[in-house]
Every structure is written in C-alpha cells, then in structure tokens.
Amino acid sequence: MTAQGHEPRASQARTDAYPLQILELGRISYANAWQFQKLRHDSVLEGIVPDTLLLLEHDPVITMGRGGLPEHIYVTGEILAKKGIELFWVERGGMATYHGPGQLVAYPILHLRDRDLHAYMERLLDVLEATVEHFGVKAERSVHGPGLWVNGAKVASIGMAVRKWVSYHGIALNVSLDLSPFSLISPCGNPTERMTSLERECGKKIDLSDVQKVFVDNFLRVFGYYQKPDVGEGHPSWLVRHLPSEKEVRPVEHLVSGLGLHTVCQEAHCPNRHECFARGTSTFLVMGDICTRACRYCAVTKGHPKPLDPEEPSRVAEAVARLGLSTAVITSVTRDDVPDGGAGHFAAIVRAIREKSPQTHIELLVPDFQGKQESIERVCAASPDMFNHNIEAVRRIFAQVRPRADYDLSLRVLQKAASLGLRVKSGLMLGLGETWEEIAGTLRDLYDHGCRYLTLGQYLAPSSHHVPMRRYLAPDEFVHWKNVAMDMGFLDVASGPLVRSSYRASAMLERAL
C-alpha cells in the first residue's frame, strides 16, 4: 500500500522492473515538500530506500527556477503575501510557474541509470501525454519548451533537477486548478503563454485522485517500475539492532525483579530495552502489570488487576537510588478500577523518589485518568519535571487503536497540565495508515493544547492479534517530521524509527531544565 493506503500496482512493460516507492503527501506547503525532496534524494542516493515518486498538491506558491528573473513576477512580494501566495527561488530548471490546489504535482526521485537527460524528459512527457489522453484530450508536447499544450494552451509543465544522476523536482499537471494566479507571472518566461486545465478542456468536473491513479499506472509502465509494497518480508535494515551482551543487561533485570517491580521495557516488548538496560536505565511500570483497558496496539496484559501495593513507591525509590539514575521515568497500566485512576499512587512515588534521591529528575508518563480534573491536578501538584501523556495515533485512527479512550480527552489532559505550569510531552506512533496531512494536523493539535516536547516512532505490531502495521517509514521521514515540529514551535523532538515515548528521556529532560 502507499502512504494513503492504496494497493500497489505493478508495471506491465518489463520483467526486469525496478522497485518504486510511491508516497502520497496530500496537500503540503512548498517549503516542507522541498525540504523532504532533498532528504529523500540523499536516501535514494545512499541506497537506504528505493527510487521514489512523491505525489502531492501544493499550497499556493510561485516558484522560480534557475532561469527565472525578477521581471518574470509582475507584482510585489507584499501583494503576493496578501493573496496568500508564497515565493521560492529553487534549483530546478525553467523559470516562473505557479502551483496550487487542484494541480497534480509529481516529484520523481530516480536513479537515471542510462544517464540520458533527454530520454528522461521524453519519458516524463510520455507519461503526461498518456494521462491526458486517457481523459479524451489530445495534447501536443514541447510547443514553447518542456511541457504539454492543448489547443495552444499549456496544461502541464516540467522543471527538473539532477544531482549525481539522481533526479528531483518534476512535473505539474493542471487538473482543476484556479488558473488566475498565472496572470501574476510570465509563465516559464513567456509573457504570451496561455494556461489551461484538464477540467477546462474536458468541460466537466474531474477528480484529481482519478487523474493521479492514471498517472501512476502510466509512470510504472513507461519507466519500467513496479510499486514496492509498504510492508514486506522482514524488517528494513534501519530497524535491525545489535544487542548488548547479557552481562551488560542482567544487573538491571535482576535489580528490578528482585524488588518485585515491573518495567514497561519488558511488558511492552520495547525494541530498545536491551540498550537501555545496558546503559543502566529503565522505565518503571507501576500499579501492576495488568491493564483494565484493551488498547489494540499494546502488548501489556489486559484483565482484572490486583489492588494497589502501598509499598511500591518505596521500592521504586530504592531501585532509582541503587541504579543512581539522573532521570527516573515512571509509567503505569491504566487503572480504571481505582477511583482516582492511580493519581495518588503517582504522587506518592514522586515523593518517595524525591526523599531518597533528591537530585533525580522525574518524568511521569500517565494515562488519561478518564479526564478527571482532580486526578490530573493531584499528579501535577507532585511537580514532576516532565508530564507525559501519549496521544498515540491521529484522530481518524485513534478509536481503532484505543477504543476505550478519546482523542479530544487526551488533548484536554495535556492542556490541563500545561495550564498548571508543567513541561508537557506526548508521543505519536506512525505507520498505522495515517496520511501526511493527518500527521501534520495531530502535531498542530498537540501544540495548540500546550505540548512542547514530542516523540515520534515507528509502530510495530506486538503480535498478529494487534492492529497491523500499514507502512514502514524510512529514517528521512522521521527527520522531516522532527523539522516540521520544530518549525511549528516544539522545544524538543525525538523522532526516529526506534524512538519510544521514554527512550533516552533523560537527555530530553536535561536539555529542558
């Protein structure tokens, strides 16, 4: 499947086809797409990921290629800003063009194995021409330069760049685009150029998603690719870990088990547990190892837990002291059977650690307490150094993975802690079938509700009985989302395939203090 969940399609043209990853980015700002293009170009060049086709729509923007001149823009930057149109000078070929909603933009990031730029351009035109003709429109190519024309008006443009024989930038096909902003520029340096759209030439409404499907089929056929499945046999290389020796791991395991404690590292099958144990750290799982909820992504056992152990706070404090932790991360199973959801227990643990190890910083990773304000206030009154509550999934998918929780309630939990002056952190799993637009929307929701610290990691299903993983995200996507979040205003972001909500929490907390 693609990033949007479509089934992969295979090329019918060649039996020696290369794999192609197709990422559908939805509507995205030019800055974010441009940044990610460069990240993905490096990943393709280094062989981390296969050749890639990015499909998207841009927010309104004018871009100027290497041949562009200031006089190709007829209005001032102030007027563009008032119209909500951005301006970028970029490294692609060509001059001025406009991108906006209703225009299919495709950025092929491909190894040009034959090292023939002319042949690459012709294949792009083959794809565009076949796509337009599928909708009953006869096009001409390269009338005034690279592109397609219909009845003397331009319907598609090409502006590419190549570095080390890997392409980037690409094509724009006007489907249902508002063409009026083209009057603000000299399109491709031609002041007499007329622009048109597929919808205008067909005389009827055309869905961009339908055009995109036809475009992809033609691209696979013309270039001789097959669409790489998002989930294959085995994990990709970036998820393979080299485990430390048992000698390094056992001291933490023995100490924790000897004190009758649990760690989320073990109970949730965390892929980083051996690394953390070898470094002498762990995340303590309190209030037992049985959860009252049945979240469909989580490996922790579900059922009817035992009553809370009043001696547990002192045992956690003892473990923290013996390990000499600079930062202690405490989380819990969800205890809906306890009137305050375990808020008092969390507070008691904070007090016990502070009494025995006053130099230790404390992060609490808490459940939603069913939204009970007095429970949230009780935890916050204990003054942990970091208040963490994970959103886990984007709004559309949230109910599928957390059927007994509520997306907006979790946001309110974070907002309450922020309003009480605490540092607030949350985590989001990726790879559940969310779109790029949904990820961006969730980051905005978190930020708007006071969250300033963030973790982003790859979802890995603990078993076949859990919600299946839909897609592996490559490391460059995690770099991209970290950049997006930091630009949004988050103060610190840990983002990577193996990042978990408490992974190296001490480093983030030390930077925050």
Side-chain angles (χ1 to χ4, degrees):
M1 291 182 292
T2 68
Q4 301 278 33
H6 297 158
E7 290 299 323
R9 297 186 284 276
S11 167
Q12 302 298 314
R14 291 164 46 180
T15 58
D16 60 340
Y18 292 100
L20 180 73
Q21 183 173 31
I22 299 176
L23 292 178
E24 300 175 22
L25 310 189
R27 182 169 167 177
I28 184 173
S29 72
Y30 191 84
N32 284 342
W34 188 22
Q35 174 201 76
F36 182 65
Q37 272 194 83
K38 290 183 278 190
L39 289 171
R40 179 48 58 106
H41 182 280
D42 289 344
S43 296
V44 170
L45 190 62
E46 294 166 15
I48 297 171
V49 297
D51 289 3
T52 301
L53 178 63
L54 305 180
L55 300 169
L56 55 128
E57 293 176 84
H58 278 307
D59 294 331
V61 63
I62 290 170
T63 66
M64 299 290 286
R66 293 191 302 271
L69 299 172
E71 53 263 36
H72 293 159
I73 305 175
Y74 299 147
V75 296
T76 65
E78 183 180 358
I79 292 175
L80 289 179
K82 286 181 179 178
K83 291 179 176 291
I85 299 174
E86 294 187 293
L87 172 64
F88 288 88
W89 294 76
V90 298
E91 67 274 62
R92 64 162 173 80
M95 303 180 199
T97 195
Y98 169 76
H99 300 297
Q103 182 187 67
L104 174 61
V105 175
Y107 294 135
I109 304 176
L110 315 176
H111 284 94
L112 302 185
R113 293 173 175 85
D114 56 8
R115 300 195 172 192
D116 187 333
L117 295 180
H118 178 74
Y120 174 57
M121 179 81 74
E122 288 300 310
R123 284 195 288 269
L124 289 176
L125 288 169
D126 288 344
V127 174
L128 286 167
E129 190 171 7
T131 301
V132 168
E133 290 185 352
H134 176 89
F135 292 90
V137 174
K138 180 64 177 175
E140 296 179 88
R141 60 172 68 186
S142 304
V143 173
H144 300 142
L148 281 189
W149 280 257
V150 178
N151 297 321
K154 195 172 189 180
V155 71
S157 303
I158 296 179
M160 64 181 184
V162 177
R163 184 169 65 86
K164 296 185 178 180
W165 294 107
V166 173
S167 65
Y168 58 122
H169 292 284
I171 67 95
L173 174 59
N174 302 334
V175 178
S176 54
L177 179 70
D178 173 12
L179 299 171
S180 61
F182 281 104
S183 66
L184 305 174
I185 61 174
S186 174
C188 295
N190 183 355
T192 64
E193 189 75 85
R194 291 189 300 112
M195 304 300 294
T196 190
S197 67
L198 196 55
E199 197 168 84
R200 174 179 288 185
E201 297 302 321
C202 290
K204 62 180 181 181
K205 292 287 185 182
I206 296 179
D207 194 305
L208 189 140
S209 64
D210 293 336
V211 178
Q212 181 172 291
K213 290 174 186 175
V214 175
F215 178 88
V216 168
D217 286 340
N218 285 321
F219 192 94
L220 295 172
R221 175 182 56 80
V222 169
F223 279 88
Y225 283 102
Y226 69 89
Q227 186 174 346
K228 183 181 182 295
D230 289 323
V231 178
E233 296 294 328
H235 292 321
S237 60
W238 56 81
L239 288 175
V240 177
R241 302 297 303 268
H242 297 287
L243 299 181
S245 68
E246 287 293 313
K247 182 179 179 181
E248 296 175 289
V249 170
R250 288 195 181 280
V252 173
E253 288 183 328
H254 287 165
L255 174 61
V256 171
S257 62
L259 289 170
L261 300 173
H262 303 281
T263 68
V264 74
C265 320
Q266 294 165 310
E267 301 298 333
H269 302 172
C270 178
N272 304 309
R273 60 188 180 276
H274 295 92
E275 176 192 342
C276 293
F277 285 171
R279 291 170 53 238
T281 65
S282 68
T283 297
F284 297 98
L285 180 70
V286 300
M287 305 190 216
D289 60 350
I290 298 177
C291 185
T292 55
R293 296 191 189 175
C295 294
R296 298 187 60 221
Y297 65 89
C298 183
V300 174
T301 303
K302 287 75 179 174
H304 301 286
K306 297 177 182 178
L308 297 183
D309 179 358
E311 300 302 318
E312 186 175 48
S314 62
R315 294 203 308 276
V316 172
E318 179 65 22
V320 169
R322 288 195 201 176
L323 288 169
L325 298 181
S326 61
T327 299
V329 182
I330 315 297
T331 189
S332 76
V333 293
T334 300
R335 293 296 301 262
D336 291 333
D337 60 315
V338 178
D340 71 350
H345 203 74
F346 270 116
I349 290 171
V350 173
R351 289 193 297 270
I353 293 173
R354 290 260 161 82
E355 182 176 342
K356 202 169 188 67
S357 304
Q359 77 287 353
T360 298
H361 303 304
I362 301 171
E363 175 175 321
L364 297 183
L365 172 55
V366 302
D368 61 21
F369 301 113
Q370 298 178 301
K372 295 177 180 177
Q373 295 296 294
E374 60 274 18
S375 294
I376 302 168
E377 290 169 358
R378 191 171 187 181
V379 170
C380 292
S383 299
D385 298 290
M386 185 73 79
F387 180 99
N388 188 348
H389 172 67
N390 286 337
I391 197 74
E392 302 291 12
V394 302
R395 183 183 293 275
R396 176 178 59 84
I397 295 172
F398 189 93
Q400 299 173 33
V401 299
R402 302 184 66 187
R404 294 178 58 188
D406 180 85
Y407 182 88
D408 290 301
L409 186 148
S410 284
L411 290 176
R412 291 195 295 272
V413 170
L414 296 168
Q415 187 174 47
K416 180 65 175 180
S419 73
L420 294 173
L422 272 68
R423 299 178 187 87
V424 174
K425 178 179 175 183
S426 191
L428 178 65
M429 302 181 295
L430 302 179
L432 284 159
E434 62 284 326
T435 68
W436 271 43
E437 289 174 287
E438 288 173 327
I439 297 171
T442 300
L443 298 189
R444 174 54 62 188
D445 285 344
L446 291 171
Y447 186 84
D448 288 346
H449 286 80
C451 178
R452 294 295 181 269
Y453 300 88
L454 180 68
T455 57
L456 301 169
Q458 172 74 53
Y459 170 67
L460 297 171
S463 77
S464 60
H465 302 294
H466 291 81
V467 172
M469 179 189 63
R470 299 297 183 187
R471 185 168 78 89
Y472 288 113
L473 280 73
D476 58 9
E477 287 192 69
F478 286 100
V479 173
H480 169 79
W481 288 115
K482 177 175 181 175
N483 293 338
V484 169
M486 295 298 288
D487 288 345
M488 197 176 286
F490 284 87
L491 298 178
D492 205 347
V493 180
S495 181
L498 288 167
V499 167
R500 296 298 181 263
S501 57
S502 55
Y503 180 56
R504 298 192 177 180
S506 59
M508 182 178 287
L509 190 48
E510 286 168 10
R511 289 191 294 269
L513 295 172

